[in-house]
Amino acid sequence: MVQKTEQIWFDGRFVPWGEANVHVLTHTLHYGVGVFEGIRCYRCSDGSSAVLRLEEHVDRFFDSAKVVQMEIPFSREEISQAILDTLRTNGLQEGYVRPLAFIGDGAMGVYPGDNPVHVIIAVWPWGAYLGDEALQKGITVKTSSFTRHHVNVMMTKAKVCGNYVNSVLAKREALADGYDESLLLDVDGYVAEASGENIFIVKKSVLKTPPLGPVLPGITRDCLITLARDMGYRVQEQRFTRDEIYTADEAFFCGTAAEVTPIRELDRRKIGPGEAGAVTKLLQQEFFRVVHGDNLKYAGWLTHFGLE
């Protein structure tokens, strides 16, 4: 369950959590055309708080809206400031941020006409997405019977609400079958991504991650590519098959929610030692050093803010 906070930013003003409501004929509720972001803020070692890659998240939010021809009625600067203001107003030192732009009520039918576009920003405390134990011991994964979207079926570079029906189905299937998460393949049978995470494998200290074809350009993915290369690892962005995961030394998921989560098993096949591998642990450790402000080389990734 989401832990409620006090206020939600709604079209430029704060409203109490329980009053942030919409009409049942809201267009996005019926047809799925809305865009969103997932962002984290962290409590830093010096006691301050900081949002990770705020500018990049806001840019992707606006890019997603452009892809589906939604005009967000606020500037990038206004949304960035509203995110910080929402964290401050709720006194949240560490947690999750969810901006959402959606089409309101008015015209009904596939074409939204001149229905207004609304924007909300909600924040709440949120720990490890797949559980604290998952970050340490790793998770079990099932290759989904559902296929990731083709690039001309859904716009895969945008975080569009309707795109995630595919993810919901895959996640439900995995949990029903006793796994922690699902892995989706693309239409050609190559590894794409999880229900809400990007994937990396490690073989002989070389990292490999799928290229940005049907794959969402993850911001945490970008962080880890940069970190790994700066740490001296070779990183390849190229297609690979699921049997390459079976025989990999290590594998892990990454994302704003999942952070860096080791994969210990795929389709009942143990990956490497069946626990978090050495490279995964090092990258996970370095990632958390960065987000907690302990590696000044990447200080530009953090937007610090003070509470009211």
Side-chain angles (χ1 to χ4, degrees), residues 115-237:
N115 293 18
V117 173
H118 301 286
V119 183
I120 66 96
I121 299 168
V123 302
W124 61 86
W126 203 6
Y129 175 59
L130 295 167
D132 291 327
E133 187 174 285
L135 291 176
Q136 303 303 318
K137 296 183 178 180
I139 61 172
T140 61
V141 181
K142 169 189 171 68
T143 301
S144 181
S145 67
F146 297 96
T147 301
R148 193 41 114 203
H149 299 299
H150 185 275
V151 294
N152 280 329
V153 172
M154 299 293 279
M155 301 292 97
T156 59
K157 298 300 180 292
K159 283 183 72 72
V160 179
C161 298
N163 286 9
Y164 282 79
V165 173
N166 183 235
S167 296
V168 170
L169 293 172
K171 182 80 172 187
R172 280 179 165 171
E173 177 185 61
L175 294 179
D177 289 344
Y179 295 83
D180 299 312
E181 183 54 285
S182 62
L183 175 71
L184 292 100
L185 308 180
D186 66 20
V187 294
D188 295 320
Y190 289 90
V191 172
E193 56 191 338
S195 67
E197 305 92 4
N198 293 118
I199 185 172
F200 285 78
I201 61 173
V202 183
K203 185 75 170 183
K204 300 184 186 304
S205 295
V206 175
L207 284 82
K208 191 182 291 188
T209 191
L212 299 178
V215 174
L216 185 77
I219 292 169
T220 305
R221 173 186 182 275
D222 180 72
C223 289
L224 291 174
I225 289 173
T226 301
L227 286 174
R229 286 175 174 162
D230 287 352
M231 292 166 67
Y233 292 106
R234 187 152 59 99
V235 182
Q236 299 173 338
E237 296 182 69

Side-chain angles (χ1 to χ4, degrees), residues 8-21:
I8 290 177
W9 189 91
F10 198 141
D11 286 345
R13 65 187 183 91
F14 285 107
V15 299
W17 180 288
E19 297 176 18
N21 301 316

Side-chain angles (χ1 to χ4, degrees), residues 227 231 281-290 295:
L227 286 174
M231 292 166 67
K281 286 180 178 177
L282 281 172
L283 281 170
Q284 187 186 71
Q285 177 182 329
E286 195 58 39
F287 176 77
F288 283 118
R289 285 189 67 238
V290 169
N295 188 333

Side-chain angles (χ1 to χ4, degrees), residues 31 36 39 45 58 80 88 93 104 131 134 141 172 177-178 190-191 195 208 225 240 242 255 261 266 280 292 294 303:
Y31 298 105
F36 69 96
I39 309 172
S45 298
V58 171
S80 295
R88 290 191 189 101
Q93 294 180 305
V141 181
R172 280 179 165 171
D177 289 344
Y190 289 90
V191 172
S195 67
K208 191 182 291 188
I225 289 173
F240 56 88
R242 61 173 164 163
T261 300
L266 174 64
T280 302
H292 292 126
D294 295 326
T303 300

Side-chain angles (χ1 to χ4, degrees), residues 14-40:
F14 285 107
V15 299
W17 180 288
E19 297 176 18
N21 301 316
V22 297
H23 195 276
V24 294
L25 292 184
T26 293
H27 195 275
T28 298
L29 182 62
H30 293 255
Y31 298 105
V33 181
V35 299
F36 69 96
E37 270 300 315
I39 309 172
R40 274 195 189 264

